[in-house]
Amino acid sequence: MRKTTLLILGIFIGCLNGFAQTQLSVEKIMQDPKWIGNFPSSIRWDDQGKTIFFNYNPEGNPSDSLYKININALDKIKKVSLAEQRNFIPRFANSNLAQTKKVFVENGSIMMYDVASDSKKIVLDIGERVGTPSFLANQDRISFEMSGNLYVLDLKTNVLERKTNIRTGSKPQSREGGKLNDRDDWLKKDNIELLQVVRERDERREASRAYREATVTEEEFVHYLGSGQMTGLQLSPDEKFATFSLITRSDNKRTAVPDYTHISGYTTDINTRSKVGDEPTKVQLAIYDIENKKVITVSTSNLPGIKDLPDYVKDYPEKEWEASERVVTMGSPVFSNDGKRAIVNIRSVDNKDRWIALLDLATGDLKNLDRQRDEAWVAGPGIGSSFGGGTLGWLPDNKHIYFQSEETGYSHLYLLDVTTGTKKALTSGQYEVFSPFISKDMKSWYLTTSEVHPGERHFYKMPLMGGKMEKLTNMTGNNDVSLSPDEKNIAILYSYSNKPWELYLKPNNAKAEPKQLTSGLTEEFKAYDWRDPQLVNFTAQDGASVPARLYKPDPAKSNGAAVIFVHGAGYLQNVHKWWSSYFREFMFHNLLTDLGYTVLDIDYRGSAGYGRDWRTGIYRHMGGKDLSDQVDGANYLISEHGVQPGKIGIYGGSYGGFITLMALFNASDTFTSGAALRSVTDWAHYNHGYTSNILNEPFNDPIAYRRSSPIYFAEGLKGNLLIAHGMIDTNVHFQDVVRLAQRLIELGKDNWEMAVYPVEDHGFVEPSSWTDEYKRILKLFNDTLVR
C-alpha cells in the first residue's frame, strides 16, 4: 500500500513537473529566439547541382554560419570553411546562353568559370578596377565596365576594345571663356593699352592658340555627364549601342533622430529619412550610339496618358490643375538575346501608371506595348518598380516579352509579341504568381503560386507558351523552392503554421516525396503543444469576406475577453499556413489563449495575398476599411464565439500601432483597451515612397491626410491606451509619439501611458525590451478586460 502511494505521488509530481515545463510566460517567449531552435535560411546550390548550401547555427553561435549537405550524403551536415567560401563563384555571376560558363570579377581580375570542369581562370588582369562583365550576342566576347566606360574583350584573340568615351563633369571651356560683358571687356582693353608686358604676353598666347588650331587633328568624340550621376551603364549584345541612366538627385531635408545612449556619452544625431512630399529624383535614359558617335536622351512625351490627371482632383474644384506631362522614371533597357530589340519599364512618379515600351535604339523613340493604370497605385507581386526588380524579359525567339500585371485584379504572367502587339495571359484566376523563371532547356516555366489557397505556396511547372500547370510540391504550408542547376532536384525551405522552417529535398518530380534534412527545434520548444490557429473568414459591413487567424481557448477556461492583433507593414500577409515572421506574437497569442482569451489576427484591407482590390482598399483613407475590418472582426467574435462586449482589446506594431490608435480614437465603443507599438501618428511625417502611393502628397491631397492620421482624432480616446516606442527609431520616428503625447496632454486625457525604449530602433533586438513591452501589454489586458 505504501509503495502504491509513493508511486502515485511520484506520478503526480512528475505530471506537475511536466506541466510546469509547458507553461508559457512573457519572459519565456520574449527571450533570445535561440531557445526555439536553429533553422536553415538562404538556400543555394553549387553549380553542379550536387551540394546544397544554407545558413545555419547548430552550435548556438552569436550569428549563423554557412553549412552544406551533399545530396549523396544527406545525413552529413558540414560547416563550410572560410577558405572554401573564398573560392565560391559569386551568386550573380553572368552566364552564357548555354549556362556552361560564367564570368565575374575576383580580386580585380575578370574570371571565367567552366561549370563542367568546376574550374576557373583569369581572362583579364589589367591592373584597373573593373566590373559587370557580361557575355554578348557573340558568346566569344564579353563586355565590362572600367573607369566609367565600356570595353569588350574578345576571348579568342584577346583583343581589347574601348566602346564608349564618357567623362564626368562638363566640357572644359577655353581660356577666354564666353563673351565678356561690357564692363569686363572695357577693363581688359584698358589694361592691355596701359601695360606693355601684359599686352605682349597676350599677343604671344593668341599666336600660339592660332597655331594649335591650325595643326590640331579632329578631336575624338567625348560625352560629358555634366552635373548628373551615371548608373546602369550597359552594352547591347550586338555591341552597337550603350545605354545608361543619368541621375539628378534632389536635396530633400532629412530628419535627425537623437541617440541619447550613444557610447560616447554625448547625445548624437542620426541623419535619417525625409518626409512625404519629396522633390523627385530626376532620371534620364540616354543611348550612346557607338557607330555614329552621338548620345541621345529618350523622351516619354508620346506615352499614352502621360498628361492624365488623377481622379482625386475632383475633390478640389477650387484648385486649377494643369494637365502637364508627368515626371517619370525609366529602368535600364532589357535587351533581347540578339541585341536587336530592347524594352523599358517606365513608371510615373505618382505611381499611377506603368508602361512597358519598345525602345528604338537608333532614334530613342518609344512604342508603348502595355500600359498598366491604377487610380490608387501600381504594385503587386512581380511588378517591381521603375528601377527593376519585377518580372520582365524576353523569350528565346527574341520577339516575345514576358511580364506580370494585375490587369484582372490578381498578378499574373503574360506574353506579348512585340511585332504584332498580341498579348496572352499564361495564368489566370483568383490567385497570385510569384517569381517565374524559364527552364534551362527554354521549353518551360517554373513558378510559385497561391492557387491552392491564399495561405499556401506551391511550386509548379508549365509549358513555355502556356498550358496546364504541373504542381511539384505537396506539403501544406509554404514551399520556398530552390531548383538545382541541372533541374534534377528541388531543395525546399518548408514551414507550417506551428512548425518553423526546415530544409527538405526531393527529386524534380510531382510524385516524389520530400525528405527532411534538418531538424532544429529544441526540446524546450517542443515541450509545449503549440496551437494550429484556425483560418476563418467573416463578413465585413460592405459584404467583403475577411480572412483571419482564430485562437480559441478551452471553453472551461474562457474569460469572455478577446484580443485582436493587427499586423504591421500594411501590405503584408499574416493569415497563412506557414511559420509567421511574427513568431513572438504567435507565441504570445498562445499564452493569451491559455489564459482564456480569444485571439483574432486579421488580414485587413491593404494586406498582401488577395489581389489588387484588397491591396488598394485603403487608398486615400488609411483607418477606413482597414479599421472597419477590425470592428467587424470584433462583432464576429461577439456573435459567433461568445466574446462579451466591452471586453475586447487590440494591439499591433508600426501599421498595426497606427490602426490601434485609430481604433481607440474612432471605435472606442468597440475597443476597451489597446497597445500601440512604434506607431505612425501623423502620415505627413512618414516617408515618401510608402505614403505618397496611398495618400498622394499632403499639399495636393490634404483630405486624405486629415482623415488618415490619428493625431487629428485624439479627442476620441475613451478606453485605456498604452503607447510604446523605441527612441532611436529611424523608420517611424520617436517624434511621432512625442507630438501625440503633447496632443493628449492638451486634451486633458489621463487614461494613457507611454513606455519608451532608449536603445531600440523600429525593430527591437534586445530580449529585455521585448519582455518589458509585452509584460506591459499583458498587464493592460489583464487589468482592463478581465473583471
Side-chain angles (χ1 to χ4, degrees):
M1 181 69 179
R2 185 170 178 272
K3 288 182 179 180
T4 303
T5 303
L6 289 174
L7 178 61
I8 293 173
L9 182 60
I11 293 172
F12 177 72
I13 294 171
C15 289
L16 282 179
N17 288 337
F19 182 74
Q21 289 174 2
T22 62
Q23 290 300 289
L24 297 181
S25 67
V26 171
E27 289 82 359
K28 185 181 189 70
I29 63 180
M30 295 299 162
Q31 64 182 301
D32 190 316
K34 288 189 180 70
W35 85 276
I36 300 172
N38 97 96
F39 309 103
S41 63
S42 303
I43 306 300
R44 61 173 291 188
W45 288 85
D46 71 337
D47 288 288
Q48 287 68 40
K50 302 299 182 184
T51 304
I52 308 170
F53 296 95
F54 53 98
N55 291 337
Y56 206 44
N57 192 3
E59 299 171 348
N61 293 320
S63 61
D64 290 357
S65 299
L66 192 66
Y67 284 76
K68 65 180 180 180
I69 296 177
N70 189 284
I71 62 172
N72 295 318
L74 296 179
D75 58 336
K76 296 179 181 179
I77 300 177
K78 297 182 179 180
K79 192 170 186 177
V80 181
S81 68
L82 290 177
E84 184 178 353
Q85 290 184 53
R86 293 189 191 103
N87 203 41
F88 276 180
I89 307 304
R91 183 174 297 191
F92 299 107
N94 183 262
S95 297
N96 62 354
L97 290 177
Q99 298 184 43
T100 58
K101 297 181 185 298
K102 293 184 176 184
V103 287
F104 58 96
V105 175
E106 182 178 270
N107 298 323
S109 301
I110 296 180
M111 310 293 294
M112 177 75 71
Y113 174 71
D114 184 272
V115 175
S117 63
D118 190 23
S119 62
K120 61 183 178 180
K121 65 178 181 179
I122 296 174
V123 295
L124 182 67
D125 185 359
I126 203 169
E128 296 284 343
R129 186 175 180 179
V130 296
T132 61
S134 300
F135 285 96
L136 297 165
N138 179 344
Q139 300 277 282
D140 291 322
R141 292 165 68 82
I142 59 171
S143 66
F144 65 93
E145 186 177 350
M146 181 172 67
S147 301
N149 281 282
L150 289 170
Y151 293 78
V152 169
L153 174 67
D154 191 300
L155 298 171
K156 286 189 172 180
T157 65
N158 283 327
V159 173
L160 186 63
E161 181 183 356
R162 179 173 177 165
K163 288 290 186 179
T164 63
N165 193 2
I166 301 171
R167 299 181 192 174
T168 59
S170 301
K171 184 177 181 179
Q173 299 294 319
S174 65
R175 180 181 61 84
E176 296 298 330
K179 183 179 179 180
L180 299 178
N181 60 35
D182 291 343
R183 180 195 63 188
D184 293 343
D185 185 54
W186 185 91
L187 287 173
K188 177 183 176 181
K189 290 178 179 178
D190 184 61
N191 202 39
I192 289 173
E193 290 175 4
L194 286 171
L195 304 176
Q196 179 180 344
V197 172
V198 172
R199 182 170 63 254
E200 291 173 349
R201 288 178 177 176
D202 184 66
E203 290 170 352
R204 288 196 294 272
R205 280 193 295 267
E206 284 298 314
S208 296
R209 183 182 61 81
Y211 174 78
R212 287 195 304 272
E213 290 179 352
T215 58
V216 73
T217 57
E218 182 181 356
E219 183 181 3
E220 65 174 331
F221 173 73
V222 180
H223 178 71
Y224 290 91
L225 296 175
S227 59
Q229 294 179 313
M230 181 176 65
T231 185
L233 179 63
Q234 62 175 344
L235 186 64
S236 64
D238 62 3
E239 305 180 35
K240 293 182 178 180
F241 300 93
T243 64
F244 61 89
S245 295
L246 195 63
I247 309 292
T248 304
R249 303 190 186 279
S250 301
D251 186 19
N252 293 300
K253 185 176 181 180
R254 308 181 81 81
T255 304
V257 172
D259 181 357
Y260 293 98
T261 59
H262 192 266
I263 191 171
S264 67
Y266 290 88
T267 300
T268 60
D269 286 338
I270 304 170
N271 194 26
T272 65
R273 59 165 175 80
S274 56
K275 299 181 188 290
V276 61
D278 281 352
E279 185 72 22
T281 295
K282 294 181 176 62
V283 183
Q284 290 181 299
L285 179 61
I287 302 171
Y288 191 117
D289 187 327
I290 293 170
E291 182 178 350
N292 296 306
K293 292 183 168 48
K294 63 179 181 179
V295 173
I296 56 177
T297 302
V298 177
S299 171
T300 58
S301 298
N302 293 326
L303 288 175
I306 190 65
K307 293 184 179 181
D308 285 1
L309 289 171
D311 281 359
Y312 73 80
V313 301
K314 67 180 182 297
D315 287 346
Y316 302 95
E318 73 286 354
K319 185 174 180 179
E320 292 185 8
W321 296 89
E322 182 183 357
S324 57
E325 186 175 324
R326 285 177 290 158
V327 178
V328 302
T329 56
M330 290 181 281
S332 294
V334 180
F335 295 105
S336 57
N337 289 331
D338 60 9
K340 295 180 180 179
R341 294 187 173 110
I343 51 173
V344 187
N345 187 44
I346 306 168
R347 291 277 192 135
S348 59
V349 167
D350 65 11
N351 215 6
K352 299 185 187 304
D353 272 288
R354 177 200 187 195
W355 299 268
I356 298 173
L358 189 66
L359 174 63
D360 188 320
L361 292 163
T363 64
D365 293 337
L366 293 170
K367 177 185 176 182
N368 181 60
L369 299 173
D370 187 75
R371 179 190 179 191
Q372 299 171 24
R373 171 76 177 183
D374 196 316
E375 282 299 333
W377 71 100
V378 176
I383 293 174
S385 69
S386 57
F387 295 101
T391 300
L392 183 64
W394 292 86
L395 292 193
D397 63 8
N398 294 312
K399 74 171 188 176
H400 283 90
I401 63 169
Y402 59 85
F403 58 93
Q404 285 183 245
S405 169
E406 283 187 324
E407 180 178 323
T408 65
Y410 291 83
S411 183
H412 283 289
L413 181 62
Y414 291 81
L415 292 184
L416 189 148
D417 186 329
V418 302
T419 63
T420 65
T422 303
K423 184 166 68 173
K424 176 184 179 181
L426 297 186
T427 60
S428 62
Q430 293 187 354
Y431 64 91
E432 295 183 316
V433 170
F434 307 89
S435 307
F437 63 94
I438 298 174
S439 63
K440 190 173 183 179
D441 64 8
M442 304 291 182
K443 295 180 180 180
S444 304
W445 287 100
Y446 287 104
L447 63 161
T448 297
T449 86
S450 57
E451 183 179 20
V452 170
H453 184 276
E456 289 190 44
R457 297 290 183 270
H458 287 284
F459 192 60
Y460 295 81
K461 188 176 184 180
M462 178 179 67
L464 188 66
M465 301 306 292
K468 184 178 180 181
M469 293 194 301
E470 180 186 18
K471 184 167 167 283
L472 298 173
T473 54
N474 55 22
M475 294 184 289
T476 300
N478 192 336
N479 296 267
D480 185 1
V481 166
S482 178
L483 185 65
S484 64
D486 58 10
E487 300 184 3
K488 293 180 179 179
N489 292 289
I490 294 174
I492 308 171
L493 268 184
Y494 168 77
S495 75
Y496 186 65
S497 301
N498 56 0
K499 297 175 182 177
W501 301 93
E502 299 288 4
L503 178 61
Y504 290 74
L505 178 70
K506 64 169 285 186
N508 185 7
N509 182 309
K511 296 180 180 179
E513 289 299 318
K515 178 180 176 60
Q516 185 171 343
L517 305 184
T518 62
S519 183
L521 283 175
T522 64
E523 293 302 318
E524 185 180 12
F525 186 82
K526 289 190 288 186
Y528 180 84
D529 186 17
W530 299 98
R531 291 171 176 83
D532 179 5
Q534 181 184 356
L535 299 194
V536 299
N537 286 74
F538 60 85
T539 302
Q541 56 195 258
D542 65 353
S545 181
V546 183
R549 274 184 165 193
L550 177 67
Y551 300 75
K552 288 272 291 183
D554 184 330
K557 294 183 178 180
S558 177
N559 57 20
V563 171
I564 292 180
F565 170 66
V566 190
H567 69 68
Y571 190 65
L572 179 145
Q573 185 178 8
N574 202 45
V575 178
H576 50 60
K577 300 178 184 179
W578 62 84
W579 185 247
S580 176
S581 58
Y582 289 98
F583 61 90
R584 291 183 179 88
E585 289 77 1
F586 166 77
M587 293 187 290
F588 184 60
H589 298 161
N590 274 267
L591 185 155
L592 288 172
T593 311
D594 285 347
L595 296 176
Y597 291 90
T598 300
V599 181
L600 194 67
D601 174 358
I602 303 171
D603 270 349
Y604 50 87
R605 242 65 71 92
S607 298
Y610 309 96
R612 180 190 62 210
D613 292 346
W614 204 261
R615 171 178 63 79
T616 61
I618 57 174
Y619 177 57
R620 296 190 70 214
H621 192 184
M622 292 191 276
K625 290 182 179 179
D626 46 357
L627 173 58
S628 64
D629 285 345
Q630 317 298 328
V631 174
D632 294 334
N635 292 333
Y636 161 75
L637 294 179
I638 293 170
S639 63
E640 300 292 332
H641 295 285
V643 171
Q644 300 173 23
K647 300 182 70 173
I648 301 176
I650 186 169
Y651 87 102
S654 197
Y655 198 97
F658 149 73
I659 287 292
T660 298
L661 292 175
M662 293 295 264
L664 268 290
F665 297 165
N666 288 343
S668 55
D669 292 337
T670 300
F671 298 102
T672 299
S673 302
L677 321 174
R678 52 194 181 278
S679 49
V680 175
T681 68
D682 187 344
W683 287 107
H685 290 258
Y686 197 53
N687 69 29
H688 183 82
Y690 181 88
T691 317
S692 64
N693 279 345
I694 306 172
L695 301 181
N696 303 304
E697 296 166 316
F699 44 83
N700 283 327
D701 195 3
I703 293 172
Y705 284 80
R706 281 275 178 171
R707 63 189 177 196
S708 298
S709 296
I711 199 166
Y712 293 109
F713 303 99
E715 67 274 8
L717 177 63
K718 296 178 183 177
N720 310 282
L721 172 61
L722 167 66
I723 300 170
H725 213 104
M727 294 183 72
I728 54 173
D729 191 332
T730 58
N731 182 5
V732 180
H733 299 153
F734 186 59
Q735 178 192 28
D736 264 56
V737 292
V738 170
R739 294 177 70 242
L740 178 62
Q742 180 59 30
R743 180 78 179 127
L744 293 170
I745 291 168
E746 292 175 4
L747 290 168
K749 301 292 183 179
D750 56 10
N751 49 340
W752 64 280
E753 63 176 348
M754 183 185 294
V756 299
Y757 299 88
V759 299
E760 296 294 358
D761 200 335
H762 194 62
F764 286 12
V765 295
E766 299 298 332
S768 57
S769 300
W770 281 106
T771 300
D772 182 89
E773 183 179 54
Y774 273 78
K775 283 171 65 176
R776 293 174 186 273
I777 296 169
L778 183 59
K779 184 176 187 302
L780 171 72
F781 293 148
N782 283 341
D783 289 351
T784 61
L785 302 181
V786 184
R787 301 183 181 90

